[in-house]
Amino acid sequence: MNIYKELERLIQYGLEKGLIEKWDVEFVRNQLLDALDLQNWVRIEVEKEQLQNPVPVLESILDWAAEHGRLSPDTVSERDLLDTRLMGIFVPHPSTVIHTFEKIRSQYGVERATDYFYQLSRDVNYIRTNRVKRNEHWFSRTPYGELEITINLSKPEKDPRDVVRAKEDNANYPACVLCKDNVGYSGRSQHPARQNHRIIPVSLDGEQWYLQYSPYVYYHQHAIVFSEEHRPMKISAATFRRLLAFVEQFPHFFLGSNADLPIVGGSILNHDHYQGGQHEFPMAEAGYEETFRMGNFPEVKAGILHWPMSVIRLQAVSQADLTAAADHILQNWMDYEDPEAGIRKETNGERHNTITPIARRRDDFFELDLVLRNNRTSEAHPLGIFHPHEQVHHMKRENIGLIEVMGLAVLPGRLKDELEKLADYLSGPDALSQIRKDPDTQKHSAWARHLMETYDRSGLENINSMLKQETGKVFQTVLEHAGVFKKNTEGRRAFQRFLQTL
């Protein structure tokens, strides 16, 4: 493999994608040589090619680097550090990206501006498209509409050599993976490189926030909006104001927040942030089970959503009216107790009640979905009373965050092989015995027995399709477990008791 040919191919890719111009070629070439500790350049002609992404060329360069001592050890983490450094050479300075974004917004509108920023993030391999496309995705019919299911195969597993190095990592900069300090950061074994990372400033409720995209997008234009200040997550009236201010500026996006408590919150609680994007989630398509009026807020339409979890949807023309109504519900919920329904507001001063809010535009109306959450634990449910129960842990035991609340399951990568094995076993004789013997599938044995009792396997043309559909039903159950008011007569009565406090 000729390293100079591969570097020239990478330069050609940058030119064709408009990342650099012909005046930049020598500068970029020298930066690439420096990154690979090369002092000489061998001029070589390469044919132009229509590469959709730089990964094939980068992989060749990384293989050369590993062979010639530029990668030590040759792990996924070290490869990511180097290929990000290489692609960072092609990315305009942050100010240039921001000025271009604002110019496009002023001339063509905000949707064109976010399209530009999204495409740039893909072209420079910040969004790792080649890994994201490995994820499996399908829809599953349920009484609540079609839920979305993904098996997450995009994030690489940690190499044991990286884990050993991580023990020696005492750095505390940047403070977290969301801080604005990440822009241009070279990374280390326990912190991703970000030379190809750019952010767009956004003003929300008089504060400085920033828009970026997720490197491992779960849906179209999966965006993260984060505070300039490194501070803990907090749900408050200010949260509602910021969410609504954002969708006013970006009406083609939704924006939501994870809850601010462990168990019911997301994976990053130490930095105030939201997630959004250009995607219609199943929850957004859900209708009302019933509507009601809040006496002090006559201009706000309110209703209980037909959804596995406990959701109140609010709509209003006025952001101020909507914020006031949402804050009223939040304050009442944080102070609410219903021992009959298992809801207690605190234990030894530790708060349990909070909300997962989602904002979007509906023509002239602003809309807020308020998902009621509670993070109590018990002896029977040590991971959380309103959390996936043990019966569904064979599929999902992690926290139910914002994305899953809205109806998109993010299931662990192990399920790909496990579901394939289950399909093979269910297609043959003595299925249950085989499933129980296999360490990879024995956790699914109770579920498999249920499926065998439910379906006539001899009449099934496609067991894989059946397993996908039934996985969606398990996800429905997961969401029902996370709902504070159960989807039965007693649960509906309990929900009504809370609504009477409003």
Side-chain angles (χ1 to χ4, degrees):
M1 192 268 289
N2 188 319
I3 185 59
Y4 302 105
K5 177 181 178 181
E6 298 306 307
L7 292 177
E8 191 63 37
R9 289 178 69 203
L10 193 60
I11 291 170
Q12 287 295 331
Y13 169 82
L15 287 167
E16 290 187 12
K17 287 293 185 179
L19 300 174
I20 60 173
E21 299 179 22
K22 66 177 182 178
W23 316 112
D24 301 315
V25 168
E26 288 75 22
F27 173 81
V28 167
R29 179 186 296 137
N30 288 330
Q31 294 291 302
L32 292 172
L33 292 174
D34 179 60
L36 295 173
D37 194 24
L38 290 167
Q39 278 71 49
N40 297 314
W41 175 254
V42 176
R43 296 190 180 277
I44 187 168
E45 293 293 328
V46 299
E47 294 182 6
K48 289 187 177 181
E49 51 189 325
Q50 298 296 321
L51 288 173
Q52 295 304 307
N53 65 67
V55 172
V57 182
L58 289 171
E59 289 293 340
S60 295
I61 295 173
L62 294 173
D63 289 343
W64 176 91
E67 190 177 325
H68 291 81
R70 269 68 166 185
L71 278 176
S72 181
D74 182 11
T75 64
V76 172
S77 293
E78 289 298 318
R79 283 177 166 250
D80 286 355
L81 291 175
L82 181 54
D83 73 9
T84 303
R85 181 181 177 185
L86 296 174
M87 289 311 301
I89 295 169
F90 291 86
V91 190
H93 280 189
S95 59
T96 302
V97 173
I98 293 168
H99 291 324
T100 303
F101 182 93
E102 294 300 337
K103 182 178 180 181
I104 295 173
R105 173 154 62 176
S106 65
Q107 292 182 348
Y108 304 106
V110 67
E111 189 167 354
R112 284 278 292 274
T114 53
D115 287 347
Y116 149 75
F117 187 42
Y118 189 64
Q119 189 60 50
L120 174 68
S121 300
R122 290 163 59 95
D123 288 344
V124 300
N125 206 38
Y126 171 74
I127 296 175
R128 292 187 174 268
T129 310
N130 66 307
R131 291 181 184 169
V132 172
K133 68 182 180 182
R134 299 175 191 167
N135 293 345
E136 297 204 350
H137 179 274
W138 68 89
F139 291 90
S140 181
R141 294 183 306 277
T142 75
Y144 302 97
E146 286 197 323
L147 299 181
E148 288 188 76
I149 313 296
T150 61
I151 294 181
N152 180 19
L153 302 171
S154 58
K155 291 187 179 180
E157 294 183 10
K158 282 288 184 183
D159 188 291
R161 291 169 290 179
D162 290 322
V163 174
V164 171
R165 296 182 70 192
K167 295 179 180 178
E168 304 169 359
D169 184 0
N170 297 316
N172 56 9
Y173 175 86
C176 76
V177 294
L178 291 182
C179 287
K180 65 190 289 285
D181 299 332
N182 283 277
V183 176
Y185 184 62
S186 61
R188 56 187 192 274
S189 60
Q190 282 301 288
H191 196 103
R194 287 290 183 257
Q195 291 99 325
N196 58 355
H197 175 44
R198 298 295 182 264
I199 58 179
I200 302 297
V202 181
S203 178
L204 299 178
D205 193 33
E207 290 187 348
Q208 185 65 69
W209 287 62
Y210 296 91
L211 167 70
Q212 68 171 70
Y213 286 111
S214 170
Y216 295 100
V217 292
Y218 289 129
Y219 50 85
H220 184 52
Q221 297 207 22
H222 180 179
I224 299 171
V225 179
F226 65 96
S227 170
E228 181 172 58
E229 180 184 353
H230 179 74
R231 67 190 186 204
M233 295 281 291
K234 180 176 175 60
I235 304 298
S236 67
T239 305
F240 306 137
R241 288 196 297 270
R242 295 186 203 110
L243 295 179
L244 294 171
F246 182 88
V247 297
E248 180 181 33
Q249 297 176 56
F250 298 81
H252 59 302
F253 274 19
F254 80 91
L255 192 68
S257 174
N258 274 306
D260 54 353
L261 295 178
I263 295 177
V264 297
S267 58
I268 302 176
L269 294 178
N270 64 345
H271 196 126
D272 210 359
H273 72 284
Y274 313 131
Q275 293 185 78
Q278 200 170 353
H279 185 72
E280 189 81 353
F281 280 87
M283 175 189 274
E285 300 176 0
Y288 292 106
E289 287 186 353
E290 63 175 274
T291 60
F292 60 91
R293 288 288 177 181
M294 300 171 62
N296 293 329
F297 308 96
E299 302 303 318
V300 178
K301 178 182 177 181
I304 297 175
L305 211 60
H306 181 60
W307 194 244
M309 298 182 71
S310 308
V311 187
I312 297 173
R313 174 169 289 172
L314 304 178
Q315 288 182 329
V317 173
S318 164
Q319 292 182 49
D321 288 346
L322 199 54
T323 296
D327 187 49
H328 179 68
I329 293 172
L330 173 64
Q331 299 305 321
N332 279 35
W333 177 243
M334 288 197 298
D335 198 44
Y336 186 73
E337 289 196 325
D338 186 343
E340 187 178 337
I343 299 168
R344 297 191 180 277
K345 66 179 181 180
E346 64 177 20
T347 301
N348 299 324
E350 178 189 340
R351 177 168 62 94
H352 294 311
N353 289 347
T354 186
I355 278 176
T356 297
I358 302 103
R360 61 183 76 88
R361 291 291 299 271
R362 296 282 192 192
D363 297 322
D364 294 333
F365 288 86
F366 291 92
E367 183 172 277
L368 277 174
D369 286 345
L370 306 178
V371 188
L372 306 180
R373 312 297 301 272
N374 180 288
N375 76 344
R376 276 188 67 219
T377 60
S378 67
E379 187 174 336
H381 301 292
L383 297 181
I385 297 172
F386 306 104
H387 178 84
H389 293 177
E390 187 173 347
Q391 72 194 67
V392 295
H393 285 180
H394 65 103
M395 286 284 188
K396 178 75 173 176
R397 63 181 294 161
E398 297 83 10
N399 295 5
I400 302 304
L402 172 69
I403 294 173
E404 290 174 313
V405 161
M406 294 185 291
L408 171 56
V410 182
L411 301 178
R414 61 174 173 81
L415 282 175
K416 175 178 168 57
D417 291 338
E418 292 172 8
L419 290 176
E420 289 176 355
K421 282 189 171 185
L422 281 173
D424 288 341
Y425 293 142
L426 290 171
S427 300
D430 200 19
L432 197 56
S433 175
Q434 296 296 322
I435 290 168
R436 286 171 173 164
K437 288 178 183 177
D438 190 330
D440 289 338
T441 58
Q442 60 186 206
K443 66 176 76 68
H444 299 290
S445 57
W447 183 50
R449 184 175 64 250
H450 164 72
L451 297 179
M452 293 170 66
E453 293 169 353
T454 304
Y455 289 91
D456 176 9
R457 287 175 292 149
S458 63
L460 279 178
E461 294 183 1
N462 194 328
I463 288 181
N464 285 301
S465 296
M466 178 271 287
L467 286 174
K468 286 185 174 182
Q469 175 63 25
E470 291 297 317
T471 297
K473 292 182 181 179
V474 174
F475 178 50
Q476 174 190 328
T477 302
V478 165
L479 294 180
E480 289 173 343
H481 288 171
V484 294
F485 297 118
K486 301 309 173 189
K487 292 296 179 176
N488 54 30
T489 301
E490 291 182 0
R492 290 182 176 88
R493 288 174 181 166
F495 208 157
Q496 290 297 326
R497 290 197 293 271
F498 172 66
L499 294 183
Q500 289 170 9
T501 71
L502 304 180

